[in-house]
Amino acid sequence: MQIKVTKDNEIDNWTEVILIYNSAIKQMQTKLEILNQEFQNVHQYNPIEHIKCRLKSSESIVKKLKKKGYESTIQNMIDHVNDIAGIRIICSFTSDIYKIADIIASQSDVEVQYVKDYIANPKPSGYRSYHMHVLIPVHLSDKIVETKVEIQIRTVAMDFWASLEHKIKYKFEGDTPDSLKQSLRDCSDMISALDAKMLSLNDEIQRIKTGNE
C-alpha cells in the first residue's frame, strides 16, 4: 500500500526527510540512465546529453517557506515546497524534450502532478524550459512515501542561457538593469532560433542517412 505523508503519518526527522528526497533523486536518475542506454542500444542515439541532480539546501527551503507565509517546519516543507528534489535533463534537440517527458509520464510508478511548458510559453525574461512535477514512491522498511520531484528538461543552449540569467540575478540581487534584461531576452530569441535550426539540420541528416541505407 502506498502511503502519502499526512498528519497521521508525519515524518518529523530531518535525517529521514533527506534520505527520502535523496532516494527519490537516485531513483529518477536511474530511470533516466536506463532510458538513455535503451535508446543507444535500440536506436544508436542518446536523447540525453547529461543529467544534473540537486537537493535544495535547508537555507533555500526556509527562505521559500517564509516567502509563502509558512512556518519553517518539516511538515510545511513536505507539503508546500515542490522542488526540494530536483533533476535537470539536458538534451540536444527540442524534440527530445517532449519525447522524454512523454516517456516519464507513461511510467506506471510516476504520477505527474502538473507541467509547465516554458518552451511553448516562455517567461517574460526569456526563460525556456519544460518543467514536470511528479510523485515517485520511495520504499522504506515500514512504508512507501510518495515523494515530490521537480524535473526540468531543456536543450544545451537553453541551459546555458538559464545559467547566465541565474548569475546575473545573483550579481544584481534581483535588481537587474533593464538593458541587461533586454539583452537576455534577445539572446533567448536567438537561442530559440538556433535550436530550431539545429533540429532542422538533424532531421535533414537523418533523411539523408535513411535514403542511403
Side-chain angles (χ1 to χ4, degrees):
M1 182 176 70
Q2 294 184 347
I3 305 173
K4 295 183 184 292
V5 181
T6 65
K7 290 182 179 179
D8 297 327
N9 181 45
E10 186 170 354
I11 296 175
D12 56 6
N13 183 293
W14 176 255
T15 303
E16 186 178 15
V17 169
I18 296 304
L19 167 67
I20 290 169
Y21 281 108
N22 265 323
S23 299
I25 289 173
K26 289 178 181 177
Q27 285 181 217
M28 184 56 67
Q29 184 176 8
T30 300
K31 284 176 177 290
L32 294 168
E33 288 172 351
I34 291 171
L35 171 63
N36 215 29
Q37 289 171 5
E38 180 198 2
F39 266 84
Q40 179 61 45
N41 291 334
V42 176
H43 305 290
Q44 290 75 52
Y45 169 64
N46 296 103
I48 299 173
E49 289 286 338
H50 56 273
I51 302 166
K52 300 178 182 178
C53 304
R54 69 106 181 92
L55 191 68
K56 206 173 189 69
S57 69
S58 57
E59 292 82 3
S60 295
I61 294 170
V62 169
K63 185 177 180 180
K64 194 157 195 174
L65 284 173
K66 286 183 178 179
K67 186 176 181 180
K68 290 185 173 185
Y70 296 108
E71 293 183 14
S72 300
T73 67
I74 288 178
Q75 193 61 45
N76 280 340
M77 177 184 86
I78 293 169
D79 291 341
H80 303 295
V81 183
N82 297 323
D83 61 346
I84 296 173
I87 297 276
R88 186 174 299 152
I89 306 167
I90 312 302
C91 305
S92 297
F93 306 106
T94 50
S95 58
D96 294 330
I97 293 173
Y98 294 102
K99 186 182 300 180
I100 291 168
D102 288 343
I103 293 172
I104 291 172
S106 70
Q107 298 200 357
S108 60
D109 60 343
V110 176
E111 178 186 335
V112 179
Q113 294 187 296
Y114 62 91
V115 301
K116 293 181 179 179
D117 189 348
Y118 294 119
I119 299 171
N121 301 286
K123 289 185 178 182
S125 65
Y127 176 85
R128 300 170 193 264
S129 185
Y130 189 91
H131 291 196
M132 302 177 72
H133 288 254
V134 304
L135 288 175
I136 64 172
V138 174
H139 294 250
L140 301 179
S141 60
D142 58 344
K143 55 183 171 283
I144 302 174
V145 182
E146 298 285 355
T147 307
K148 299 175 184 177
V149 179
E150 182 191 60
I151 303 170
Q152 299 177 355
I153 317 174
R154 58 181 67 152
T155 64
V156 175
M158 292 175 194
D159 191 54
F160 178 49
W161 185 97
S163 177
L164 179 59
E165 184 203 31
H166 178 76
K167 290 176 182 176
I168 290 174
K169 280 186 175 180
Y170 182 80
K171 177 77 172 178
F172 291 97
E173 298 180 345
D175 190 22
T176 307
D178 289 341
S179 60
L180 286 180
K181 289 181 181 179
Q182 184 59 53
S183 294
L184 279 171
R185 286 191 289 268
D186 293 342
C187 286
S188 175
D189 291 340
M190 286 188 283
I191 282 173
S192 178
L194 175 62
D195 274 335
K197 182 64 177 177
M198 294 297 284
L199 176 59
S200 176
L201 179 60
N202 184 65
D203 288 344
E204 183 179 353
I205 291 169
Q206 296 306 315
R207 283 194 298 271
I208 294 172
K209 182 179 177 181
T210 302
N212 291 335
E213 290 179 352

